[in-house]
Amino acid sequence: MPRRRETLKIMGAVGSTCAFPFQADELYGQHEHAPGAAPAPKLPTAPSFFTAAEFETITRLADLIIPRTNTPGALDAGVPAYVDYVVSRNKALQQVMRDGLAWLDQRAQGPFVKLPQPRQLALLRPLDRMKDKPRSGDTGLRFFQAAKGLIADGYYTSREGLLTGLGYQGNTVMAEFPTCLHEH
Amino acid sequence: MADKVFDVVIVGSGASGGTMAAWLARSGADVALVEGGPRINTRTDFNTHGMPFHFENRHIPVMKPGKQGFDSERSRGVGGKSLTWNAVAWRFSQRDFKGQTFEGAGEDWPLDYKDLEPYYNRIETEVGVCGNRDGLEDLPDGNSLPPVPMKCSDLIVRRGAAKLGVKVIHVRKSTLSRPVGSRPSCHFCGNCMAGCDVVAKYNSADVHIYPAMRTGKLTLFHDSVVREVSVNSENRATGVKFLNRLTQQEGEVRGRIVAVAAACVQSIALLLMSRSSRYPNGLANSSGMLGKAFIPHFTNGVQCFLTDLVGKPPSNDEGFLDHAYVPSFMHSRKRAYARSFGIQFNYQNRRSTGWTRMIPGIGADFKKAVADRYPAFLTFQPYGEMLPGKSHVDLDWNRKDAYGLPAARRNMIWGDNDWKLFRDMTAWSLRILDSAGAEILSVGEEPRTNHELGGARMGSDARTSVVDHTCRTHDVPNLYVCDGSVFPSASEKNPTHTIMALAARTADEIATRLRKGEV
């Protein structure tokens, strides 16, 4: 909380806030403010930022965090390619991801992807604290927050995640907005 | 064209400039409307029906590919911010206009509710506003089209609020719930703020400007970034100088009256930039008040899940974003601060899923936790009235834009009353949500601004205000400023409807002066 009486804030040159300032609404991908030029959702399968080994770990993480269940999983939705796309355009994330991937292999005492699944999960679970603020040396937490954030963003904005996973039904044409018939 | 002298030159084509232009053109005046951005075809140029997965970075841009040009930061484009607004349309009440009289806080407007009432009436009839007649003292009723039914989630919040004696009412919006003229009613696709492709939602370009151009009395100068309001040696505004947005070529439009309606901060910036030997600190700034008493609304965001809806099947409840509203209720309660707040809520767009990453879990449990909460996700956002204090707008001459114009700077300095109100509106938000049954995901800790207001305030004393009650500057007899910048106090209510009523009233004043040959 800022100091009570007088907090000076210079809000910059142009544009105040968007109409509804959400707290956690912006996706990592939207931090790149270039207009999404061509609607080209087909992403390449070969990574442009990550090495093959790193990409294998990202792919594994995506599958662990959002596996295929009765609905499609992160791999069905092409999430690893989305993660690579966003990270390749975001310098700050590049550092976090590269450091974190190295940290993960170090903790695994070898390639993380070679660990059996229970050990992979055991390594990740203590990091699943999305609301904690990572401290300066918290490479693991910082990495996990970014990775899970990217994977969740990628999946829940994909056709598979949004339409099938969540059951999005909007963006239609309705003659009237229906009156709620539940008892409230 | 360069030799032509228009009756009125209006800078800015948003809700204010567009309304004024149409009203003046209809009165028979010869009007020039100067807008920094391009013409936009609302039917074909917006991504209204885009989905995040149509775009690589999952961001739905306002304009379709190849339709660049709309500057969303300054909302440059014919229609201005009215193209992308949420269309909430409240009337201010007498209490909103007279904070000083009622509570000894803020500034009184030099006009009464009665002065604006006929203009609210006419604007509502003209543009179509849906909503209920609620009979609230603080929220005068209007000429409304039928309200849109509340969402299931609104009714849950309403039930919780009622336990605390707090009312939840139908939102009022300049969006059609019934067809009006050639405009169809809303089809509830839920992406209002990406630009309405059928003009069910009011925008000044399609509802005011283009129809007025058919009278032959309105000339539109688009892609014309105004850099100066010119004043001659007789202290009369003579027109505006602009730069072509695409070619940077200089241009000029001359007029007998100039009205600046470029939206709060941009209007202030334009006047501050228009320096001369007579006005070294900015045009119409002999009071030194230009840029001062900047009073945008401040807000706080709460994100939560309504427990009643967790695990329920998802439904198509995008609607036209928020359907309900918590009107100001603190005026009648004991409190440790002046003025009040209202709460906008349930305006989330279900295409926005940034919150999902905050849900704990890995694997199938995570997916289930997210899917269960998806139909229950709710945003809650109180809007508070800021008292005029030290917050101000100035120019940063060291930061120039592509046209060589200095950047406008917003300097926010929160006062004691602002902090008290901010904390209380946050506490009330949590209280209402708790009563409705909610799991809180996040609570904002700092005020954020929205609805920019003040900085060229209206008043009867030329030493302490910039314009009079007709929006005419005290300093220059044929120069007007008409948009959110003239608000002496902000109310807690969304301001655009009042800006439009004020623009209509100012247009009437100008038309009368032209008719009487006073200019």
Side-chain angles (χ1 to χ4, degrees), chain A residues 4-7 9 11 13 16-17 19 21 24 26 65 67 69 71-72 128 131 148 154 157 168 172 174, chain B residues 49 58 187 193 316 318 352 354 357 359 361 363 367 390 399 408 410 412 414 419 441 446 448-450 452:
Chain A
R4 180 176 176 171
R5 273 175 197 282
E6 290 203 354
T7 307
K9 266 214 149 156
M11 301 186 62
S16 64
T17 48
E26 245 184 302
I65 292 171
T69 55
T71 55
D128 186 22
K131 291 187 188 180
K148 182 174 171 180
T157 55
Y168 176 80
T172 57
M174 295 171 130
Chain B
H49 296 280
R58 307 296 165 84
H187 58 267
M193 289 161 73
N316 183 359
E318 295 272 56
S352 295
R357 72 171 84 145
I359 304 300
K367 282 179 80 178
K390 293 182 181 166
R399 281 194 50 198
R410 299 154 172 89
M412 296 310 301
W414 309 109
W419 276 116
L441 177 69
E446 279 186 59
R448 296 168 178 226
T449 59
N450 199 352
E452 293 179 335

Side-chain angles (χ1 to χ4, degrees), chain B residues 88-306:
Chain B
V88 174
W90 310 116
R91 294 181 177 209
F92 280 17
S93 68
Q94 182 68 355
R95 176 139 46 191
D96 294 319
F97 292 114
K98 303 288 175 185
Q100 185 57 236
T101 303
F102 277 82
E103 292 183 54
E107 284 289 319
D108 281 357
W109 289 54
L111 48 74
D112 289 290
Y113 173 70
K114 286 275 167 241
D115 296 317
L116 273 190
E117 190 178 29
Y119 295 97
Y120 280 130
N121 284 333
R122 287 165 69 185
I123 289 289
E124 281 156 10
T125 307
E126 192 168 291
V127 309
V129 174
C130 68
N132 200 19
R133 297 181 69 87
D134 297 291
L136 299 174
E137 185 194 349
D138 250 356
L139 193 58
D141 289 330
N143 299 332
S144 307
L145 300 168
V148 170
M150 288 191 195
K151 301 178 186 182
C152 187
S153 38
D154 296 327
L155 299 172
I156 294 168
V157 173
R158 186 172 74 173
R159 186 189 58 200
K163 289 186 206 156
L164 303 169
V166 172
K167 282 202 170 74
V168 171
I169 63 169
H170 286 278
V171 76
R172 300 178 197 168
K173 287 191 180 184
S174 299
T175 302
L176 303 182
S177 58
R178 295 288 179 275
V180 169
S182 61
R183 294 165 57 206
S185 59
C186 175
H187 58 267
F188 306 109
C189 71
N191 218 9
C192 315
M193 289 161 73
C196 179
D197 60 341
V198 299
V199 200
K201 182 186 78 170
Y202 168 85
N203 77 68
S204 60
D206 289 299
V207 179
H208 274 135
I209 297 167
Y210 300 143
M213 284 169 73
R214 280 181 228 123
T215 64
K217 303 299 286 183
L218 176 58
T219 308
L220 176 64
F221 294 77
H222 55 83
D223 292 302
S224 303
V225 179
V226 175
R227 63 170 183 79
E228 184 186 287
V229 176
S230 314
V231 178
N232 67 13
S233 56
E234 279 98 58
N235 190 34
R236 297 191 67 82
T238 55
V240 300
K241 295 202 170 84
F242 63 82
L243 295 164
N244 184 290
R245 187 178 68 87
L246 305 164
T247 64
Q248 299 257 2
Q249 202 147 40
E250 293 259 1
E252 190 176 6
V253 191
R254 296 196 292 152
R256 293 156 68 202
I257 287 180
V258 175
V260 176
C264 185
V265 169
Q266 298 307 319
S267 288
I268 296 166
L270 175 59
L271 293 173
L272 286 172
M273 271 182 247
S274 301
R275 297 186 296 187
S276 59
S277 52
R278 186 193 282 264
Y279 298 107
N281 302 316
L283 183 56
N285 191 23
S286 69
S287 64
M289 283 304 292
L290 188 59
K292 304 280 168 58
F294 182 53
I295 44 168
H297 286 155
F298 56 82
T299 75
N300 191 12
V302 180
Q303 299 186 108
C304 68
F305 307 100
L306 292 177

Side-chain angles (χ1 to χ4, degrees), chain B residues 413-452:
Chain B
I413 303 161
W414 309 109
D416 191 39
N417 195 77
D418 303 329
W419 276 116
K420 283 181 177 154
L421 205 166
F422 175 77
R423 288 211 196 84
D424 198 43
M425 71 186 200
T426 307
W428 267 105
S429 298
L430 295 174
R431 214 171 283 152
I432 292 167
L433 289 170
D434 183 54
S435 178
E439 174 196 342
I440 303 297
L441 177 69
S442 72
V443 183
E445 290 185 347
E446 279 186 59
R448 296 168 178 226
T449 59
N450 199 352
H451 303 152
E452 293 179 335

